[in-house]
PDB file of all heavy atoms in Angstrom:
ATOM      1  N   LYS A 127      85.701  87.016  91.046  1.00 97.00           N
ATOM      2  CA  LYS A 127      84.822  86.062  90.383  1.00 97.00           C
ATOM      3  C   LYS A 127      85.455  84.653  90.432  1.00 97.00           C
ATOM      4  O   LYS A 127      84.753  83.674  90.609  1.00 97.00           O
ATOM      5  CB  LYS A 127      84.575  86.455  88.900  1.00 97.00           C
ATOM      6  CG  LYS A 127      83.630  87.681  88.776  1.00 97.00           C
ATOM      7  CD  LYS A 127      83.485  88.050  87.324  1.00 97.00           C
ATOM      8  CE  LYS A 127      82.673  89.322  87.183  1.00 97.00           C
ATOM      9  NZ  LYS A 127      82.634  89.793  85.780  1.00 97.00           N
ATOM     10  N   LYS A 128      86.757  84.559  90.258  1.00 97.00           N
ATOM     11  CA  LYS A 128      87.445  83.304  90.293  1.00 97.00           C
ATOM     12  C   LYS A 128      87.238  82.618  91.644  1.00 97.00           C
ATOM     13  O   LYS A 128      86.870  81.430  91.738  1.00 97.00           O
ATOM     14  CB  LYS A 128      88.921  83.494  90.015  1.00 97.00           C
ATOM     15  CG  LYS A 128      89.727  82.182  90.015  1.00 97.00           C
ATOM     16  CD  LYS A 128      91.216  82.399  89.852  1.00 97.00           C
ATOM     17  CE  LYS A 128      91.870  82.286  91.215  1.00 97.00           C
ATOM     18  NZ  LYS A 128      93.302  82.378  91.180  1.00 97.00           N
ATOM     19  N   TYR A 129      87.458  83.354  92.714  1.00 95.00           N
ATOM     20  CA  TYR A 129      87.288  82.802  94.064  1.00 95.00           C
ATOM     21  C   TYR A 129      85.816  82.491  94.360  1.00 95.00           C
ATOM     22  O   TYR A 129      85.522  81.525  95.009  1.00 95.00           O
ATOM     23  CB  TYR A 129      87.882  83.689  95.120  1.00 95.00           C
ATOM     24  CG  TYR A 129      89.374  83.540  95.243  1.00 95.00           C
ATOM     25  CD1 TYR A 129      90.235  84.544  94.806  1.00 95.00           C
ATOM     26  CD2 TYR A 129      89.945  82.368  95.738  1.00 95.00           C
ATOM     27  CE1 TYR A 129      91.622  84.373  94.913  1.00 95.00           C
ATOM     28  CE2 TYR A 129      91.331  82.200  95.802  1.00 95.00           C
ATOM     29  CZ  TYR A 129      92.149  83.237  95.396  1.00 95.00           C
ATOM     30  OH  TYR A 129      93.481  83.035  95.454  1.00 95.00           O
ATOM     31  N   LEU A 130      84.916  83.351  93.837  1.00 97.00           N
ATOM     32  CA  LEU A 130      83.452  83.056  94.044  1.00 97.00           C
ATOM     33  C   LEU A 130      83.086  81.710  93.386  1.00 97.00           C
ATOM     34  O   LEU A 130      82.355  80.950  93.976  1.00 97.00           O
ATOM     35  CB  LEU A 130      82.636  84.209  93.509  1.00 97.00           C
ATOM     36  CG  LEU A 130      81.128  84.137  93.748  1.00 97.00           C
ATOM     37  CD1 LEU A 130      80.862  84.145  95.233  1.00 97.00           C
ATOM     38  CD2 LEU A 130      80.436  85.331  93.063  1.00 97.00           C
ATOM     39  N   GLU A 131      83.606  81.463  92.180  1.00 97.00           N
ATOM     40  CA  GLU A 131      83.309  80.213  91.462  1.00 97.00           C
ATOM     41  C   GLU A 131      83.840  79.032  92.261  1.00 97.00           C
ATOM     42  O   GLU A 131      83.264  77.929  92.203  1.00 97.00           O
ATOM     43  CB  GLU A 131      83.902  80.217  90.086  1.00 97.00           C
ATOM     44  CG  GLU A 131      83.182  81.179  89.148  1.00 97.00           C
ATOM     45  CD  GLU A 131      83.887  81.387  87.859  1.00 97.00           C
ATOM     46  OE1 GLU A 131      84.994  80.762  87.611  1.00 97.00           O
ATOM     47  OE2 GLU A 131      83.444  82.233  87.009  1.00 97.00           O
ATOM     48  N   GLN A 132      84.961  79.213  92.995  1.00 97.00           N
ATOM     49  CA  GLN A 132      85.558  78.107  93.772  1.00 97.00           C
ATOM     50  C   GLN A 132      84.855  77.884  95.119  1.00 97.00           C
ATOM     51  O   GLN A 132      85.117  76.933  95.832  1.00 97.00           O
ATOM     52  CB  GLN A 132      87.025  78.372  94.007  1.00 97.00           C
ATOM     53  CG  GLN A 132      87.869  78.368  92.725  1.00 97.00           C
ATOM     54  CD  GLN A 132      89.325  78.773  92.992  1.00 97.00           C
ATOM     55  OE1 GLN A 132      89.734  78.916  94.153  1.00 97.00           O
ATOM     56  NE2 GLN A 132      90.037  79.016  91.934  1.00 97.00           N
ATOM     57  N   SER A 133      83.962  78.821  95.473  1.00 95.00           N
ATOM     58  CA  SER A 133      83.256  78.763  96.750  1.00 95.00           C
ATOM     59  C   SER A 133      82.018  77.926  96.620  1.00 95.00           C
ATOM     60  O   SER A 133      81.591  77.521  95.555  1.00 95.00           O
ATOM     61  CB  SER A 133      82.949  80.166  97.256  1.00 95.00           C
ATOM     62  OG  SER A 133      81.836  80.701  96.549  1.00 95.00           O
ATOM     63  N   ASN A 134      81.376  77.666  97.782  1.00 93.00           N
ATOM     64  CA  ASN A 134      80.117  76.975  97.840  1.00 93.00           C
ATOM     65  C   ASN A 134      78.952  77.970  98.005  1.00 93.00           C
ATOM     66  O   ASN A 134      77.886  77.562  98.435  1.00 93.00           O
ATOM     67  CB  ASN A 134      80.053  75.975  98.948  1.00 93.00           C
ATOM     68  CG  ASN A 134      81.073  74.843  98.741  1.00 93.00           C
ATOM     69  OD1 ASN A 134      81.159  74.299  97.601  1.00 93.00           O
ATOM     70  ND2 ASN A 134      81.846  74.443  99.726  1.00 93.00           N
ATOM     71  N   TYR A 135      79.206  79.215  97.660  1.00 95.00           N
ATOM     72  CA  TYR A 135      78.225  80.273  97.859  1.00 95.00           C
ATOM     73  C   TYR A 135      76.966  80.011  97.048  1.00 95.00           C
ATOM     74  O   TYR A 135      77.062  79.737  95.836  1.00 95.00           O
ATOM     75  CB  TYR A 135      78.848  81.634  97.510  1.00 95.00           C
ATOM     76  CG  TYR A 135      77.856  82.775  97.619  1.00 95.00           C
ATOM     77  CD1 TYR A 135      77.301  83.083  98.890  1.00 95.00           C
ATOM     78  CD2 TYR A 135      77.511  83.501  96.503  1.00 95.00           C
ATOM     79  CE1 TYR A 135      76.443  84.184  99.013  1.00 95.00           C
ATOM     80  CE2 TYR A 135      76.615  84.567  96.627  1.00 95.00           C
ATOM     81  CZ  TYR A 135      76.105  84.920  97.850  1.00 95.00           C
ATOM     82  OH  TYR A 135      75.231  85.971  97.971  1.00 95.00           O
ATOM     83  N   ASP A 136      75.815  80.092  97.720  1.00 94.00           N
ATOM     84  CA  ASP A 136      74.527  79.692  97.039  1.00 94.00           C
ATOM     85  C   ASP A 136      73.626  80.896  96.782  1.00 94.00           C
ATOM     86  O   ASP A 136      72.482  80.749  96.434  1.00 94.00           O
ATOM     87  CB  ASP A 136      73.792  78.690  97.863  1.00 94.00           C
ATOM     88  CG  ASP A 136      73.399  79.275  99.288  1.00 94.00           C
ATOM     89  OD1 ASP A 136      73.642  80.435  99.569  1.00 94.00           O
ATOM     90  OD2 ASP A 136      72.775  78.494 100.069  1.00 94.00           O
ATOM     91  N   GLY A 137      74.171  82.093  96.879  1.00 95.00           N
ATOM     92  CA  GLY A 137      73.361  83.285  96.584  1.00 95.00           C
ATOM     93  C   GLY A 137      72.668  83.879  97.819  1.00 95.00           C
ATOM     94  O   GLY A 137      71.897  84.875  97.666  1.00 95.00           O
ATOM     95  N   THR A 138      72.890  83.276  98.981  1.00 91.00           N
ATOM     96  CA  THR A 138      72.233  83.821 100.184  1.00 91.00           C
ATOM     97  C   THR A 138      72.639  85.296 100.386  1.00 91.00           C
ATOM     98  O   THR A 138      73.820  85.659 100.157  1.00 91.00           O
ATOM     99  CB  THR A 138      72.732  83.002 101.439  1.00 91.00           C
ATOM    100  OG1 THR A 138      72.369  81.652 101.239  1.00 91.00           O
ATOM    101  CG2 THR A 138      72.147  83.550 102.717  1.00 91.00           C
ATOM    102  N   GLU A 139      71.663  86.097 100.794  1.00 91.00           N
ATOM    103  CA  GLU A 139      71.964  87.552 101.004  1.00 91.00           C
ATOM    104  C   GLU A 139      72.974  87.676 102.160  1.00 91.00           C
ATOM    105  O   GLU A 139      72.800  87.099 103.250  1.00 91.00           O
ATOM    106  CB  GLU A 139      70.716  88.342 101.322  1.00 91.00           C
ATOM    107  CG  GLU A 139      71.025  89.776 101.560  1.00 91.00           C
ATOM    108  CD  GLU A 139      69.769  90.564 101.987  1.00 91.00           C
ATOM    109  OE1 GLU A 139      69.075  90.113 102.915  1.00 91.00           O
ATOM    110  OE2 GLU A 139      69.536  91.638 101.404  1.00 91.00           O
ATOM    111  N   LEU A 140      74.026  88.441 101.906  1.00 90.00           N
ATOM    112  CA  LEU A 140      74.979  88.787 102.978  1.00 90.00           C
ATOM    113  C   LEU A 140      74.594  90.161 103.497  1.00 90.00           C
ATOM    114  O   LEU A 140      74.495  91.126 102.718  1.00 90.00           O
ATOM    115  CB  LEU A 140      76.390  88.824 102.442  1.00 90.00           C
ATOM    116  CG  LEU A 140      76.962  87.579 101.886  1.00 90.00           C
ATOM    117  CD1 LEU A 140      78.421  87.743 101.509  1.00 90.00           C
ATOM    118  CD2 LEU A 140      76.807  86.367 102.808  1.00 90.00           C
TER     119      LEU A 140
END
Side-chain angles (χ1 to χ4, degrees):
K127 288 178 186 176
K128 179 185 102 173
Y129 279 110
L130 185 61
E131 289 170 4
Q132 294 173 11
S133 76
N134 294 316
Y135 178 63
D136 64 1
T138 301
E139 179 185 48
L140 300 186

